[in-house]
């Protein structure tokens, strides 16, 4: 109880800024077409850098989360800033696919995971009274990166070309993350806001029961939640990785207008993390998850038939809104079910679902486009069908948790 309660808001602000920097990864589609034009790569070849980048994030989160749980977030985010900044800077010197994969893909991905493991898990620990909202706000910084950096990247590419743009942005990211890392610290064990007492509700199942990662992965509900997270992320990452090309090729947008569309997508992604996180605190995590699956599925069908800029914007923003919700809610779902003590590593393990989705989401779109003469349609339908499976998984886990609550209430 020795920590000043107001300190947590400064920690939250610093975490949001760091996530804003690493969230620039969501603006990848801005870089993809200039790289293809410069090096004559295919869409599938270029998009693999983005796939590698996000697929490696959970691996780094597991290692960084373990260290963060034991030693605190300051040193870990400092190192993460160095790795991420170096990866983007070195991508500006690449002249081959291998170089791009190793720099933007491997180093960039490890840097993102190292920073994100600390910002999200540490912030949720500081806000046991507002887990959904705090997790959503922190994750919102990640989503907002595309809003800020998509138009900046377009302007820099127009003036300096794509490789110098990587170098400029990488330096900015490195400095910003390192400076913000100085403000981070972990709360004392058992810390809680003054005057607040936890209560058991529909959204707080097993709160206080701290599981290790090994104990967590031995429970059936972990695998159901993991499958739900994977499915929830696939559609969002598919669209984020290809939004600019989809807009240019399906709707006929210019690169500049497509960049602004990516910014709108980023806004929806960001707002979804805050909105759904707050909603989940009120109506329950799993009720919110079902609604997010429904919105995503409907918007994918709309994107399938969209031929105008208006429908395109509505569809990609609806998909991003739902994707942002999954990113904002799942740190809280992990803490609700497995405790906050080991949340750094536990959420890192849960976040491997995001890594799998980061591999399959963009790749499904790239492969479908290449095999169908430039048409993304079947990829949209596939992701929509997966959301239905996600709804079934959510109903199963919700039913199991209700039974657990009934048993616990009967014993009390």
């Amino acid at each position: 109880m020795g920590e000043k309660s107001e300190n947590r808001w400064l920690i939250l602000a610093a975490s949001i800024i760091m996530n804003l920097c690493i969230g620039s990864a969501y603006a990848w589609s801005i870089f993809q077409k200039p790289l293809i034009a410069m090096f004559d790569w295919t869409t599938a070849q270029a998009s693999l850098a983005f796939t590698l980048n996000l697929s490696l994030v959970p691996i780094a989160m597991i290692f960084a989360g373990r260290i963060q749980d034991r030693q605190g977030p300051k040193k870990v985010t400092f190192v993460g800033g160095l790795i991420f900044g170096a990866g983007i800077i070195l991508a500006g010197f690449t002249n081959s696919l291998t170089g791009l994969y190793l720099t933007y893909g491997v180093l960039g991905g490890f840097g993102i995971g190292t920073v994100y493991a600390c910002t999200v898990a540490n912030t949720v620990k500081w806000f046991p009274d507002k887990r959904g909202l705090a997790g959503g706000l922190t994750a919102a910084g990640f989503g907002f990166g595309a809003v800020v950096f998509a138009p900046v990247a377009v302007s820099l590419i127009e003036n300096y070309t794509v490789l110098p743009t990587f170098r400029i942005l990488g330096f900015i990211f490195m400095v910003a993350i390192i400076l913000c890392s100085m403000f981070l610290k972990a709360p004392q064990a058992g810390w809680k806001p003054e005057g607040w007492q936890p209560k058991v509700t529909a959204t707080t199942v097993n709160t206080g029961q701290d599981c290790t990662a090994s104990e967590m992965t031995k429970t059936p509900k972990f695998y159901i939640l993991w499958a739900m997270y994977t499915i929830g992320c696939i559609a969002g990452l598919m669209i984020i990785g290809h939004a600019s090309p989809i807009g240019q090729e399906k709707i006929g947008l210019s690169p500049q207008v497509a960049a602004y569309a990516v910014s709108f997508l980023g806004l929806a992604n960001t707002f979804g993390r805050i909105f759904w996180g707050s909603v989940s605190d009120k109506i329950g995590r799993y009720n919110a998850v079902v609604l997010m699956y429904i919105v995503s599925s409907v918007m994918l069908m709309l994107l399938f038939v969209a031929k105008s800029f208006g429908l395109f914007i509505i569809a990609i923003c609806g998909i991003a809104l739902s994707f942002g919700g999954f990113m904002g809610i799942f740190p809280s779902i992990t803490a609700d079910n497995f405790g906050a003590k080991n949340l750094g590593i536990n959420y890192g393990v849960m976040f491997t679902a995001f890594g799998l989705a980061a591999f399959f989401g963009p790749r499904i779109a790239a492969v479908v486009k290449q095999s169908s003469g430039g048409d993304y349609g079947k990829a949209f339908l596939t992701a929509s069908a997966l959301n239905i499976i996600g709804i079934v998984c959510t109903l199963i886990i919700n039913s199991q948790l209700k039974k657990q609550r009934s048993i616990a209430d009967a014993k009390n």
Side-chain angles (χ1 to χ4, degrees):
M1 295 293 293
E3 306 283 358
K4 293 181 179 180
S5 62
E6 63 266 20
N7 287 344
R8 62 181 183 163
W9 296 101
L10 179 61
I11 292 168
L12 173 62
S15 299
I16 290 172
I17 293 172
M18 286 191 282
N19 282 359
L20 182 73
C21 293
I22 60 176
S24 62
Y26 287 138
W28 164 255
S29 62
I30 301 301
F31 300 97
Q32 182 166 287
K33 286 186 78 70
L35 286 170
I36 290 172
M38 177 177 287
F39 294 106
D40 198 28
W41 296 330
T42 66
T43 299
Q45 287 174 326
S47 67
L48 183 57
F50 176 72
T51 299
L52 281 171
N53 181 287
L54 295 188
S55 296
L56 292 173
V57 167
I59 297 175
M61 286 183 66
I62 293 172
F63 289 103
R66 183 185 296 274
I67 298 171
Q68 190 261 161
D69 286 336
R70 295 175 178 176
Q71 299 185 13
K74 183 176 296 185
K75 293 180 181 179
V76 182
T77 50
F78 181 93
V79 173
L82 288 175
I83 296 173
F84 179 68
I88 305 304
I89 291 170
L90 292 174
F93 294 97
T94 189
N95 57 12
S96 67
L97 280 169
T98 300
L100 184 66
Y101 296 160
L102 291 175
T103 55
Y104 188 92
V106 176
L107 286 178
F110 274 112
I112 291 172
T114 301
V115 173
Y116 196 64
C118 298
T119 55
V120 174
N122 189 59
T123 302
V124 170
K125 290 179 182 179
W126 276 105
F127 289 85
D129 53 333
K130 298 179 178 68
R131 278 179 174 165
L133 179 60
L137 285 169
T138 310
F142 199 13
F144 202 66
V147 179
V148 174
F149 293 110
V152 172
V154 168
S155 178
L156 289 172
I157 289 170
E158 288 179 346
N159 288 281
Y160 302 104
T161 72
V162 65
L163 295 184
T165 297
F166 277 134
R167 299 196 288 268
I168 294 169
L169 292 177
F171 177 77
I172 293 172
F173 298 151
M174 182 183 290
V175 172
I177 294 172
I178 288 174
L179 289 176
C180 287
S181 71
M182 303 302 172
F183 294 95
L184 295 197
K185 59 181 177 180
Q188 295 177 354
W191 181 88
K192 58 184 179 181
E194 185 175 352
W196 176 80
Q197 293 295 331
K199 59 182 179 179
V200 177
T201 69
T203 64
T204 55
V205 183
N206 291 340
T207 297
Q209 181 178 332
D210 293 308
C211 298
T212 65
S214 176
E215 292 169 341
M216 179 182 72
T217 55
K218 291 177 181 177
T219 63
K221 66 179 176 180
F222 165 77
Y223 294 96
I224 300 175
L225 292 170
W226 186 88
M228 289 164 51
Y229 202 4
T230 302
I231 294 170
C233 289
I234 282 179
L237 291 170
M238 174 190 293
I239 302 307
I240 287 168
H242 294 271
S244 182
I246 291 172
Q248 292 179 58
E249 297 166 21
K250 180 176 174 60
I251 311 298
L253 306 180
S254 69
Q256 291 78 13
V257 175
Y260 284 110
V262 172
S263 293
F264 279 114
L265 181 151
L267 279 172
N269 185 359
T270 302
F271 179 68
R273 296 166 193 237
I274 302 170
F275 172 75
W276 288 114
S278 181
V279 167
S280 77
D281 283 337
K282 295 179 174 64
I283 70 170
R285 311 280 186 232
Y286 306 104
N287 291 331
V289 166
V290 169
L291 289 176
M292 291 187 299
Y293 281 128
I294 292 172
V295 171
S296 179
S297 187
V298 171
M299 292 299 105
L300 283 161
M301 297 300 294
L302 181 61
L303 186 59
F304 178 74
V305 301
K307 294 183 180 179
S308 68
F309 177 72
L311 289 180
F312 171 73
I313 287 293
I314 292 171
I316 66 171
C317 286
I319 295 165
L321 184 80
S322 300
F323 168 73
F326 284 102
M327 295 293 290
I329 287 177
F330 260 83
S332 301
I333 286 179
T334 306
D336 288 345
N337 285 279
F338 307 109
K341 180 180 178 181
N342 302 305
L343 185 58
I345 184 170
N346 286 352
Y347 185 57
V349 174
M350 184 69 74
F351 204 72
T352 57
F354 175 93
L356 187 66
F359 179 81
F360 281 107
R363 296 297 292 171
I364 288 171
V367 171
V368 165
K369 177 191 174 185
Q370 193 166 319
S371 63
S372 60
D375 184 11
Y376 288 98
K378 291 181 180 178
F380 304 152
L381 297 179
T382 300
S384 182
L386 286 173
N387 283 331
I388 297 173
I389 298 175
I391 292 173
V392 173
C393 290
T394 307
L395 296 176
I396 291 172
I397 192 70
N398 200 26
S399 174
Q400 290 182 350
L401 293 175
K402 284 181 178 178
K403 290 180 181 178
Q404 290 180 12
R405 286 193 293 273
S406 297
I407 294 173
D409 290 342
K411 289 182 178 179
N412 294 330

